[in-house]
Amino acid sequence: MVKKANLDVVRENNRKLVLQTLFNSEKTSRSSISKAVGLQKSTVSSIFLDLEEEGFVQELGIGESSNVGGRKPSMIRFNRAYGYVLAFDMGVRHLRYTINRLSGEIISDGAIEIQSKKVAPVFEEMKKVIESIDIQDMIENLVGIAVAVHAPVFNNHIIYSPFFEFEDFDLVGELEKLTYVPVLIENEANLAAIFYRDYHVYNKEVDYKDFVALNIHNGIGVGIICEGYVFRGVDGLAGEVGRTIVYDAKANLNSAGDLPRLEDLYSENAIIDRAAVIKKVDNFSREAFLELLKDRDPEIMPLIKEWEMSIAAFIYNLNQLYAPQAIFITSRIFDNFPEIAQETLLNVEQFNSVHKPDLIFSDSSVQDASMLGAVALISRHVLGLQDHMLKFTL
């Protein structure tokens, strides 16, 4: 029995290697995969019979023969029509979603305005999205769902949430009962980090194995990739950097009588609120704030200079804590105003760190990075390749 169990483990590991190689190849052949994974052709052929029966293999036709001649190979790739996954981002004001192939490509996406902190109404909107999907020519249709949340998560459970009231509603359970597919929930900054790892969107030859994804939006959070894996810390609480205490001799206590936290002062929401106070305007919209930045409003620019220096100092501190290969930075302010991003980089340079990581401003929005990271997360789960290096495509 022990020998049979060991053989089953070996065969399953071989299957994962073959599926991984197939997934990462735009176009390949059975013989090429056999060489790549170091397995005998007979072993690979046996595994391929199973993968073909499951629907993972797409035939592409006959390829070119090698330089030494011989039989032309039958070309194959991972089947883009196997099934699709659905990813949601539960933002403060919008529920965003994307429907993607298991290999990563977007089929369709959208956004729905939400005005409740209750999870049940958000679930109803998710249900409408799920019931409206009509995608033809798939073998398995919907195979998994992932949800990005602005909250720490551990073992598929939310630890606490500053934006939604999860206590009285089992979102994962309700989605699973509705769809009969696996449902994963994960912190949005961790998912952004997974996106940079798995989609490899940066113009670099190097594959980063140790990096930090810094998301500056309603709050401030980081996702940490260590040796290629997400570092979550105890109970998934790693990366809650927005809760870092900010102290100086002139620091003002917040409304609760405590010292302010980083995101109380320098998240995008905090900066917009502080700008509203300066301009003496109630209900200050993000669009109005961006217009003031575009006009370089003289009352607002000192606040922006403070923000640039404070974010630069925080980036420097992240570098000192983790010494990562790279720090990916996502912010709508930086996205809309590259000159502010450049000023922030110049400030980082002034601190003259011994270690200088690559500082990369993301072309993807906070929501897109988190949702596509969610696509990678649930696709890996469906394929059983959670611990294998995969390259997803847009």
Side-chain angles (χ1 to χ4, degrees):
M1 289 295 293
V2 173
K3 185 176 180 180
K4 181 180 184 303
N6 288 339
L7 289 174
D8 288 342
V9 170
V10 170
R11 179 173 175 79
E12 180 60 22
N13 287 339
N14 288 341
R15 178 186 180 279
K16 289 180 178 181
L17 283 175
V18 171
L19 183 56
Q20 173 197 24
T21 308
L22 177 68
F23 186 95
N24 289 336
S25 303
E26 179 60 32
K27 183 168 63 174
T28 188
S29 65
R30 289 168 178 79
S31 60
S32 295
I33 289 178
S34 178
K35 292 176 184 177
V37 299
L39 296 173
Q40 294 181 354
K41 288 184 180 179
S42 58
T43 301
V44 173
S45 294
S46 174
I47 292 171
F48 260 103
L49 286 175
D50 293 340
L51 294 178
E52 285 176 328
E53 285 185 10
E54 294 174 62
F56 288 124
V57 181
Q58 180 183 359
E59 299 286 346
L60 298 176
I62 303 300
E64 297 296 326
S65 60
S66 66
N67 293 333
V68 296
R71 185 177 178 181
K72 293 182 178 180
S74 176
M75 305 307 293
I76 55 175
R77 71 173 184 176
F78 180 82
N79 190 2
R80 269 63 171 170
Y82 173 78
Y84 62 87
V85 295
L86 173 62
F88 291 104
D89 176 82
M90 287 180 63
V92 177
R93 298 179 182 85
H94 292 87
L95 174 68
R96 293 175 172 84
Y97 65 90
T98 182
I99 304 166
N100 292 54
R101 301 182 189 277
L102 272 176
S103 45
E105 300 97 329
I106 298 173
I107 299 172
S108 64
D109 54 20
I112 302 162
E113 187 174 352
I114 53 177
Q115 298 179 345
S116 174
K117 284 196 170 187
K118 300 287 186 182
V119 177
V122 179
F123 167 74
E124 291 301 321
E125 296 297 337
M126 292 179 172
K127 184 177 179 182
K128 291 176 186 176
V129 172
I130 292 166
E131 292 175 344
S132 69
I133 298 174
D134 182 20
I135 298 174
Q136 306 297 320
D137 302 322
M138 289 282 183
I139 297 173
E140 296 291 341
N141 295 315
L142 180 65
V143 293
I145 298 172
V147 183
V149 291
H150 298 248
V153 177
F154 191 65
N155 288 339
N156 225 32
H157 294 284
I158 291 172
I159 305 303
Y160 66 85
S161 173
F163 301 116
F164 287 96
E165 299 171 9
F166 282 93
E167 295 84 356
D168 299 326
F169 193 90
D170 180 10
L171 180 62
V172 170
E174 291 300 319
L175 285 171
E176 287 177 338
K177 283 195 294 185
L178 176 66
T179 61
Y180 301 100
V181 300
V183 178
L184 300 180
I185 194 163
E186 180 57 278
N187 170 264
E188 48 83 29
N190 287 345
L191 291 172
I194 290 172
F195 164 69
Y196 298 124
R197 181 194 67 187
D198 287 358
Y199 276 83
H200 205 281
V201 294
Y202 43 89
N203 295 320
K204 290 277 185 180
E205 293 298 323
V206 63
D207 282 319
Y208 295 119
K209 303 294 185 186
D210 296 276
F211 65 85
V212 173
L214 170 60
N215 284 0
I216 307 169
H217 45 89
N218 301 315
I220 300 177
V222 300
I224 306 161
I225 297 292
C226 180
E227 293 295 318
Y229 294 92
V230 177
F231 176 75
R232 292 184 169 83
V234 175
D235 293 335
L237 292 170
E240 290 294 292
V241 296
R243 299 176 66 81
T244 303
I245 295 294
V246 177
Y247 175 78
D248 64 49
K250 299 178 181 178
N252 293 318
L253 301 182
N254 62 22
S255 58
D258 301 319
L259 286 168
R261 295 185 169 95
L262 183 69
E263 61 190 10
D264 295 335
L265 296 174
Y266 299 119
S267 68
E268 289 186 1
N269 279 11
I271 288 295
I272 292 172
D273 290 343
R274 292 173 66 186
V277 172
I278 291 170
K279 300 303 290 185
K280 298 180 175 61
V281 177
D282 294 328
N283 301 318
F284 203 46
S285 70
R286 186 176 301 278
E287 290 71 25
F289 171 72
L290 293 177
E291 280 299 316
L292 290 177
L293 286 190
K294 184 178 179 181
D295 296 337
R296 299 189 65 82
D297 183 275
E299 291 183 296
I300 297 301
M301 291 316 295
L303 175 63
I304 297 304
K305 291 300 178 185
E306 177 190 339
W307 187 76
E308 290 171 355
M309 183 58 74
S310 298
I311 295 301
F314 182 67
I315 291 170
Y316 171 86
N317 290 339
L318 281 178
N319 181 29
Q320 303 312 304
L321 282 170
Y322 300 110
Q325 293 171 290
I327 299 176
F328 291 90
I329 307 161
T330 306
S331 161
R332 281 168 288 201
I333 294 176
F334 288 148
D335 189 43
N336 282 278
F337 300 95
E339 66 275 15
I340 294 178
Q342 290 307 310
E343 285 295 323
T344 303
L345 285 184
L346 290 175
N347 289 335
V348 176
E349 284 293 321
Q350 290 178 14
F351 296 129
N352 197 26
S353 175
V354 173
H355 170 63
K356 297 185 183 298
D358 293 331
L359 302 180
I360 303 171
F361 289 100
S362 176
D363 292 333
S364 302
S365 69
V366 171
Q367 295 83 11
D368 287 345
S370 295
M371 285 194 298
L372 290 171
V375 167
L377 179 76
I378 190 61
S379 295
R380 284 173 167 278
H381 180 84
V382 169
L383 297 172
L385 298 176
Q386 292 93 329
D387 297 326
H388 289 67
M389 189 278 290
L390 298 179
K391 290 187 178 180
F392 289 77
T393 54
L394 290 171

